[in-house]
Structure formats: structure tokens, C-alpha cells
Amino acid sequence: MAGEREQWGSGTGFVLATIGSAVGLGNIWRFAYVAGENGGGAFLIVYVLSVLLVGAPIVIAEMALGRQAGGDAATAFERAAPNSRWPLVGWLGIVSSCLILSYYAVIAGWALKYLAGGMLGTLWRTAGTDYGGYYARFIANPGEPVAWQMAMLAVAMLVVTGGVQRGIEVVNRYLMPTLAVFVVGLAVYSATLPGAGAGWRFLFLPDWSALTDPHVIIAALGQSFFSLGVGMAVYITYASYMSPQTRIPVNAGAIILGDTLFAILAGLAIFPAVFAFGMNPEAGPKLAFITLPQIFLAMPAGKVIGALFFLLLSAAALTSMVALLEVPVAAIVHRTPLKRWGAVLIVGLTVFVVGIPLAMSYGVLSDIKVGGRALLDALDQAVSNYLLALAGLLVALFVGWRWGRHNALAAADLDRAAVGAAWLWLLRVVAPLVIGLILLNALVGV
Ligand code: PFF
């Protein structure tokens, strides 16, 4: 069973790894397409509100739960509420992270493919300016997306096998700051494109009528959960390697701010270009993979910058995959005699196999549709909008009502802070009300 438990090398290591898990494809690929599908400005308002009022309190709650237990996601609930059914919530998080990883690896594989294409020059040569065609040819191939998906998973498996300090922490330390500089640079460049103003207006001028559309609200809440990484037990797991000296609220604040700014900056890189090049913001999951190369080709030294960008995008995806993989691996290592590498192998292979039809779902399997969406897209919507929301709701109810006021406040380092009461109130009332209404709405059929 578990021997001496690992810890982060430093507080900074924890924050960077956690930001690395939060910042990923969700901020660039998913944020852009979901904002595009849901009207831009109105979506952004609901998104930011749901980050602040619902997502943030749950992030803190997950961290508090994780650190006090020093175990996997289910253990966190076993310690906090012995002999109850609450550990099922931990298992829900563990299953959700496996499900997300199964399609996340596919999109991460696209990023890797574009990185290879950018470096070898095939992306710029064969595509001309027809990136829609480049994407379509890639995705229609029965084997290629699967091969890239496997490559990305293999790298994530190697990192997680390396362990908390030598694997996860090292990889995050350099990648995250570099990516931030890049996105700022791209957003500034995008702003100089002719017609960029339409993109800014799309993102910042809300069409108020969209606020009455439950789809927009559900999408915004789902996106905030996905982007923060709430409901997948990542914070519970990562916080379990945290030292008691690290303050939870400050760290949570840095992570939430970093993640949200990152998404907005990525939107400012993408939408002005979408409008400048006359593309459709509602293009769905392929949006970023068609617009971004267009920007690169138009800018000076764009080919080098483009290749570097896809390097960083792959890296950001990798750090998120590592977090998703660590959740089930921590549970297996904690509960079975298996070593870390054995657990990594089992989870990695299972996730790979589940992901194969998803990797083909825009190509050879594109005829299969669920609710009008391709398999991968449908799974992403279902997991982010409902499964994560459900897990988030249960965490809020547990920490808000069941754990006990004193335990919760002390575990979150909020027992001496005035904001402690506000945090509990958000957890007890606001989060359950908002999420509950949305789930109810879904049940009765929107
Ligand atoms: N937050 C990540 C992103 O925005 O890409 C996705 C993610 C990573 C979700 C890790 C959950 C997680 F545990």
C-alpha cells in the first residue's frame, strides 16, 4: 500500500502545477468555440460571474478537502465523513477525469499534429491558405488522429510515471510562464489586423437577449467548470500533496485569476482574426485549428511563431492531461499493491482505447451523431455541462452543509478571515441554487 507520501517541492511548484492543470485546451480551443457558439459578449458575462460565484468557492472547497486527507479523491470524503456514501462523490470525480482524458487526448493530439506540421513546414506548404481543407484532410484520415492521440497520451504517461516532484512539477515550472507571454503577444498582434474591432465587439458587447437563453447559461457554467477543472477531483488530488504551510485562499485566487485572464486573452487572439478573415465564429470545435494558422501565415515570421505556438499549446494540453491522469493513478496507488507505473499503464491504455472512436468521430465515424453533434463533441458537452456540474454541486453541499462550519473554515485557512462567511454562503446557497436550477432545467428538457 502507499508508503511515504510524496509532496510538492515548494509552494510555487504547487501553484504552477495547478495553474498548469487549469490552463489548457479549455482556455484556447474550448473557450473560443463555446463563446463563438453562444453569442460572445453575453456568454462572457455569465462565464465570469459563474467563475466568481460558483467555480471559485468550489475550487477552495476541493483544495480544503484534499489537503486535510492527504489521500486520493475518495479518501478525502472517507476521512471527512466516515461510514457515509459521500466517497461516491470522489469516485464520480475519478470517473469524470478518465472520461475527459479520453477525448482531451484526442484534441491534444491535433495540437501535436499542427506542431509537427508547423515545424516541418507541411502545415504552411500544403495548406496554402486553405486551413479548412488542411484540417478536413487530417481529420478524415482513419489512422492519423489516433496516432497523435496515442503520442500525446504516451508523453503524459511518462511524466506521471516520473512522480509528483520529478515529473509533474518540473514540466510545469517553465512551460506556463512562457505560454502566458505568447498569448499576450498574439492578442496584441490580432488587435492590429484590419477589421479586428468586430472581434472585440463580439467578445465584449453583449447581446442582452441571449441572457434569457438557458443554453447560453448552461454553456457558460459548463465552460467555467471545465476551464477551472472543477468537479474532476484534480484539486482534491493535487492539494493532497500540499504542505500545511501553503495558504489555500491566496493560491486559489492566483489560479482562478490566471485561468480566467488566459481565456479572455486567448479570445482576444482568436476572435479579431476570425472576423478579419471573414470566418464564422460558430464553427464549433475546429475553430481554433482553422483560424490560428491563418493569423500566423499573415504575420511576419509567422511560421516560426506558429510552430512555437503549437509547441506551447501542446505543452499546455500536456500539463492538463497530466493532472487528469494523476487523479485515477493516485486512487489506484493508494488502494492496491500496484506501483505508480502499473497504475499509469492501466489507466493510460484504457483511456486510449475509449478514445479511439472519439478520435475518428469527425472522420470515418462522422455519420454517428448524438443530439446532432459528433461523438467527441457530444461527450464533451455531456460531461462538462452535466457531470461536472453535478460533482460540483455535491462538493458544495458537502463542504457547505455536511462537513461542519468549523472544519470547513479551518481546512480552507479561512477561519480568521472575514471572507470565510461569504465563502460558506456561496457554497451553501448560491452554488447549489444555480447548479440545481440548471440541472433541473436539463431534466425537464430545455
Ligand atoms: N482545465 C483544463 C483546460 O481548461 O483545458 C482541462 C482540465 C484539466 C480539466 C485538468 C480538468 C482537469 F483535471
Side-chain angles (χ1 to χ4, degrees), residues 21-27 100 104 226-229 232 234 259 320-321 323-324:
S21 111
V23 171
L25 296 168
N27 302 63
I100 293 199
Y104 202 89
F226 186 93
S227 186
L228 289 173
M232 283 162 272
V234 168
D259 188 62
S320 297
M321 289 173 67
L324 288 165

Side-chain angles (χ1 to χ4, degrees), residues 20-234:
S21 111
V23 171
L25 296 168
N27 302 63
I28 300 171
W29 160 74
R30 199 177 190 284
F31 176 81
Y33 98 75
V34 178
E37 282 181 349
N38 289 284
F43 170 87
L44 186 64
I45 293 179
V46 191
Y47 170 73
V48 171
L49 280 178
S50 100
V51 165
L52 292 177
L53 300 179
V54 186
I58 300 179
V59 168
I60 296 177
E62 285 196 17
M63 283 189 184
L65 266 175
R67 190 179 58 183
Q68 55 87 34
D72 61 59
T75 308
F77 288 92
E78 282 160 8
R79 296 257 163 89
N83 305 319
S84 72
R85 297 220 185 122
W86 285 102
L88 286 176
V89 181
W91 289 111
L92 181 65
I94 293 170
V95 172
S96 303
S97 27
C98 293
L99 275 178
I100 293 199
L101 188 56
S102 71
Y103 68 84
Y104 202 89
V106 172
I107 312 289
W110 298 3
L112 196 61
K113 149 87 182 174
Y114 275 61
L115 164 63
M119 277 181 18
L120 298 173
T122 46
L123 175 62
W124 321 114
R125 270 200 306 276
T126 57
T129 49
D130 175 21
Y131 290 102
Y134 181 83
Y135 169 85
R137 280 190 298 279
F138 163 56
I139 214 67
N141 186 307
E144 227 197 311
V146 178
W148 291 110
Q149 165 213 7
M150 188 165 79
M152 261 328 260
L153 259 177
V155 182
M157 287 163 71
L158 269 180
V159 175
V160 174
T161 306
V164 174
Q165 271 194 30
R166 280 182 307 129
I168 303 177
E169 193 167 337
V170 171
V171 170
N172 277 292
R173 175 148 293 179
Y174 297 101
L175 292 179
M176 298 325 297
T178 324
L179 189 62
V181 171
F182 240 78
V183 172
V184 173
L186 279 180
V188 170
Y189 180 80
S190 245
T192 67
L193 292 170
W200 282 68
R201 282 193 292 280
F202 179 74
L203 202 56
F204 290 123
L205 279 189
D207 163 9
W208 297 108
S209 67
L211 289 180
T212 54
D213 180 353
H215 289 287
V216 172
I217 300 184
I218 293 176
L221 192 83
Q223 173 61 19
S224 71
F225 275 36
F226 186 93
S227 186
L228 289 173
V230 159
M232 283 162 272
V234 168

Side-chain angles (χ1 to χ4, degrees), residues 176-349:
M176 298 325 297
T178 324
L179 189 62
V181 171
F182 240 78
V183 172
V184 173
L186 279 180
V188 170
Y189 180 80
S190 245
T192 67
L193 292 170
W200 282 68
R201 282 193 292 280
F202 179 74
L203 202 56
F204 290 123
L205 279 189
D207 163 9
W208 297 108
S209 67
L211 289 180
T212 54
D213 180 353
H215 289 287
V216 172
I217 300 184
I218 293 176
L221 192 83
Q223 173 61 19
S224 71
F225 275 36
F226 186 93
S227 186
L228 289 173
V230 159
M232 283 162 272
V234 168
Y235 291 103
I236 302 184
T237 309
Y238 270 19
S240 74
Y241 306 120
M242 201 174 173
S243 87
Q245 282 83 34
T246 315
R247 310 316 292 162
I248 288 183
V250 185
N251 286 292
I255 292 157
I256 290 157
L257 189 72
D259 188 62
T260 308
L261 278 181
F262 208 99
I264 295 175
L265 282 168
L268 286 179
I270 294 174
F271 286 111
V274 167
F275 285 91
F277 293 107
M279 284 182 274
N280 178 4
E282 294 172 20
K286 57 182 191 277
L287 182 70
F289 287 89
I290 297 179
T291 34
L292 285 172
Q294 295 265 18
I295 316 183
F296 295 133
L297 203 68
M299 58 200 278
K303 295 178 180 168
V304 177
I305 297 180
L308 272 175
F309 177 82
F310 283 113
L311 173 67
L312 290 167
L313 183 63
S314 309
L318 176 69
T319 52
S320 297
M321 289 173 67
V322 161
L324 288 165
L325 186 55
E326 178 63 23
V327 172
V329 165
I332 295 179
V333 171
H334 189 72
R335 283 156 201 281
T336 71
L338 277 180
K339 294 252 183 313
R340 192 166 250 282
W341 67 264
V344 168
L345 205 62
I346 292 178
V347 179
L349 287 180

